[in-house]
Amino acid sequence: MKYDKNNIFAKILRGEIPCNKVYENEYVLSFYDINPQKKLHILVISKGEYIDLDHFNSEASEKEIVEFNKSITHIVKMLKISSSEDGYRVLTNIGLNGGQEVPHLHHHILGGEEIGKIVV
Ligand code: AMP
């Protein structure tokens, strides 16, 4: 599958569509989900053009992979929901059966309330 440069997150990265930004660095952009499933629902997307986690882990540099992963902890600390506070859930949908709608790598961060045992 080829990366679709017209997916909604690519447009957000290019500044063609606005987002409610939480955090940004050289490797990631994080913003509030437009349709929150929990009190706190944030997305973290890669700046690089990767379709999903498998594509990312196959083709991204070690630095991109480390920075993407580490950004989660940075963001949850910023939001005061880290493991030493109330905690949170990270969720990544991949492909058809995973229910991925936007074909640009992203993690969901859910928190602000008890999430429960099963993912929504
Ligand atoms: P997924 O199903 O894992 O691909 O998740 C895509 C997520 O992107 C959904 O939770 C949507 O609510 C969210 N979403 C779609 N468009 C936007 C947008 N313009 N701004 C913020 N979140 C969005």
Side-chain angles (χ1 to χ4, degrees):
M1 192 168 134
K2 197 169 172 292
Y3 180 82
D4 170 16
K5 284 181 185 287
N6 282 321
N7 77 73
I8 193 126
F9 293 169
K11 289 180 180 173
I12 287 175
L13 281 172
R14 290 195 296 269
E16 294 167 10
I17 289 178
C19 70
N20 191 0
K21 196 197 293 186
V22 174
Y23 176 73
E24 181 172 17
N25 69 18
E26 193 183 337
Y27 301 95
V28 305
L29 175 65
S30 175
F31 50 90
Y32 288 95
D33 195 292
I34 207 166
N35 183 23
Q37 299 300 306
K38 292 291 165 192
K39 266 192 188 154
L40 197 59
H41 187 170
I42 285 153
L43 301 171
V44 183
I45 75 173
S46 59
K47 286 242 172 132
E49 294 181 343
Y50 301 104
I51 299 167
D52 59 27
L53 194 63
D54 293 342
H55 184 213
F56 182 65
N57 285 333
S58 307
E59 297 198 4
S61 67
E62 296 287 311
K63 181 76 175 159
E64 283 177 289
I65 293 170
V66 167
E67 292 297 329
F68 189 65
N69 202 32
K70 282 174 98 167
S71 73
I72 301 293
T73 295
H74 183 79
I75 291 162
V76 297
K77 281 184 176 165
M78 269 178 59
L79 296 169
K80 303 198 180 314
I81 58 166
S82 72
S83 56
S84 55
E85 291 152 301
D86 287 340
Y88 62 99
R89 177 170 296 160
V90 175
L91 178 161
T92 311
N93 296 321
I94 299 154
L96 212 57
N97 280 1
Q100 181 177 1
E101 284 171 13
V102 180
H104 180 110
L105 172 67
H106 55 282
H107 287 328
H108 297 251
I109 299 178
L110 299 160
E113 63 183 314
E114 225 176 277
I115 309 292
K117 295 242 179 267
I118 306 282
V119 168
V120 175

